[in-house]
Structure formats: C-alpha cells, structure tokens
Amino acid sequence: MPDRYAVIGHPIAHSQSPLIHGLFAQATGQQLTYEAIDGGDRPGGLARVLEAFRADGGRGVNVTLPFKLEALACAGEADEAARLAGAANALRFEGERIQARNFDGAGLVRDIAVNLAVPLRAARVLLLGAGGAARGAIVPLARAGAGRIVIANRTADKARQLAFDFAPHAGKGCAIAGAGLGEDELGGAFDVVINATSASLAGAALQLPVRSLAGVPLAYDMVYGKGLTPFLRQAQAAGARRLADGIGMLVEQAAEAFAWWRGVRPETAPVIAQLAKPLV
Ligand code: NAP
C-alpha cells in the first residue's frame, strides 16, 4: 500500500496541496497518496484527527488554517523555524512521535531569491502584517541576508512587539523595526515589499504611503490565485518594477515538506508554471 499524506484545514476544499503533491510524486516516482482532510471547526480537535490518520497508515501531514498553532502544540519536537513562528505547517510521524516544521518562510525566501532572482543580501525589506505569515517570514528573511526589515501593521503595537521579539534572532547584520501602516518609517526606499496581511483576501487596499512602493524592485503579495490584488495594483500604480503573488511560495514550501518526508526534492518550476494565474 502506498504511504499516506494529507493536508488538514478548515475549510479545505479549495486547497491546492493535493494537486501539488500529486505532481511531485509523479515527477519523482514516489509511491504515495495525498488527500485533503477537513479538521472541522471545533478548536482542540486536531490531535484526534492526527491520531486517526496515523492509525490508518498516515506518514505525515501539511497543516493549514486554522490549525497551524495547534499543530505545533501536538508535536513532541519542532525546529527553530516552527518554534519562532509559534506555528507549524508540516508534521511527520516517527513511531509514536510527531515532529513539526514550518516551511512557509523558507518557501518565501526561495521564491524571491531563486525563482524571481531578486537578491535578498543587504536588501531593505518592508514586511506588511504581523500575523502568522509575517512571523514565519522574519527570521528566514534575516538569515537570507536582508539588511533591514521594517514590519508594518494596521495594529502598530503588534508590529513593534514582533520587531522587539525577533531582533535577538535576526543576527547582527539585520536591523528590525516595527511601525503602523501609515508611519514615517515606511517612507524610505525599499528593495522588496511583501504583503503578509490577509487584506487581499477581502479585496481591501492598504493605507500605505505611496513612497513606500515607488519604484520598488519587487512587490510581493503572499495571497495567490487572485490576479492583480488591490496591493499589487497599488504597487503597479506607484511604479513597482516587478509584481508577484504567493503561488511560488506555496509550491516551494510544499517542496520542502516533500523533501523532508521522502528524502527527494522535486523540481518546482513546472508545478509553479502549471498553477500560476496571470496577474491581470
Ligand atoms: P493572520 O494571522 O490572520 O494575520 C492577518 C494580518 O492581516 C494581520 O496583521 C492583520 O492586521 C492584517 N489585516 C487583515 N485585514 C487587513 C486590512 N483590511 N488592512 C490592513 N491589514 C489587515 O493571517 P496569516 O496567517 O498571517 O496570513 C496572511 C496572508 O498570507 C493570508 O492572506 C494567507 O493566505 C497568506 N499566506 C500565504 C501563504 C503562501 O504559501 N503563499 C502561506 C501563508 C499565508 P491586524 O493585526 O491589525 O488585525
């Protein structure tokens, strides 16, 4: 019987993960199945879903909203990325033990630095948002060589707290600051502006100073499959040189999980090409 994997979330019908991992398995000749499991809307239910899946031959899972925090709590061992993010997006069953990883930040960095070929070394990064996705991105961006990261959030105190909490983990070469969305800190020149808010899901624009996006080499929206989001439109109007959505990040984090589970890293470019929607 092939090894079983799954993505667990709620809702989950929209998930691209079964398609992505199916393509990876086909391309690498790995014998596995990958399904989508609805974890339900009751908090605290993830442990039971995991136990049932493992008892039925499950080897590992991806975890998406709203279970990323609970996933970390269910694990007996977690890597630094998951511990710092306070959340896990991939689990592996090793006998009775559950191991946790968070590959979202690694996926983002690889998409920017490798797929989009925008250098992060010494880059000035504006990171919009202070939720789970932003949390997971800070240290990977710093470790990839970013020289300065300004975290800006609608609720400014959350951004300042994140900057305070993460500064010790970023290393000496990376300065981190927190601010509100409309503050002066955002007026400087940036090399990369990343939208890690969920505003684009609701079709909402961000109250940003135009200067923060003017001529920026890369404006990146973590949301994917929605074409030109309000944020990407703002960036385009401000003269951003390149626009990208988060489909590459999604595929890259999936490839990291696949490699962790199976010991073989699939090629991502053909899968990104198949899933990408035009930014119009
Ligand atoms: P989250 O924890 O719920 O955080 C949401 C963030 O968005 C908060 O900082 C919130 O600000 C901000 N926000 C929401 N509506 C806003 C608005 N109208 N104007 C300004 N700010 C607003 O969500 P998350 O887990 O971090 O996810 C954020 C986004 O990243 C989602 O859209 C998700 O789809 C995407 N994502 C993509 C990938 C990928 O693989 N491409 C992976 C992970 C996440 P306040 O603190 O002020 O409420």
Side-chain angles (χ1 to χ4, degrees), residues 129-133 153-155 158 196-198 201 206 222-224 246 250:
N153 194 45
R154 178 175 61 181
T155 312
K158 278 202 224 169
T197 76
S198 50
L201 285 180
L206 298 170
M222 283 193 189
V223 166
Y224 51 86
L250 180 76

Side-chain angles (χ1 to χ4, degrees), residues 82-269:
R83 288 197 310 271
L84 286 175
N89 80 336
L91 300 176
R92 186 167 73 180
F93 305 132
E94 292 285 331
E96 291 297 299
R97 291 170 61 234
I98 299 180
Q99 300 173 326
R101 297 288 182 272
N102 191 321
F103 294 121
D104 279 341
L108 171 73
V109 160
R110 196 173 160 92
D111 194 34
I112 293 175
V114 178
N115 300 339
L116 301 168
V118 173
L120 284 168
R121 188 142 298 283
R124 297 155 301 180
V125 178
L126 175 56
L127 180 63
L128 305 168
R135 267 189 97 82
I138 300 165
V139 171
L141 287 167
R143 302 259 164 96
R148 176 169 167 75
I149 301 173
V150 177
I151 306 160
N153 194 45
R154 178 175 61 181
T155 312
D157 283 351
K158 278 202 224 169
R160 293 197 182 94
Q161 187 64 47
L162 270 195
F164 180 80
D165 292 346
F166 278 79
H169 304 283
K172 285 202 178 77
C174 182
I176 301 191
L181 283 181
E183 290 179 19
D184 285 349
E185 283 276 14
L186 277 62
F190 292 101
D191 301 301
V192 180
V193 180
I194 300 165
N195 183 14
T197 76
S198 50
S200 296
L201 285 180
L206 298 170
Q207 303 304 313
L208 283 176
V210 176
R211 278 173 305 157
S212 62
L213 289 165
V216 68
L218 174 66
Y220 191 103
D221 200 329
M222 283 193 189
V223 166
Y224 51 86
K226 301 223 171 279
L228 267 188
T229 61
F231 165 75
L232 292 177
R233 278 185 203 285
Q234 282 172 284
Q236 190 178 52
R241 298 215 286 277
R242 188 140 187 212
L243 308 175
D245 73 1
I247 194 66
M249 172 179 175
L250 180 76
V251 174
E252 291 296 345
Q253 64 76 29
E256 296 291 328
F258 192 94
W260 182 48
W261 292 328
R262 309 300 299 179
V264 47
R265 198 177 199 287
E267 266 193 63
T268 50

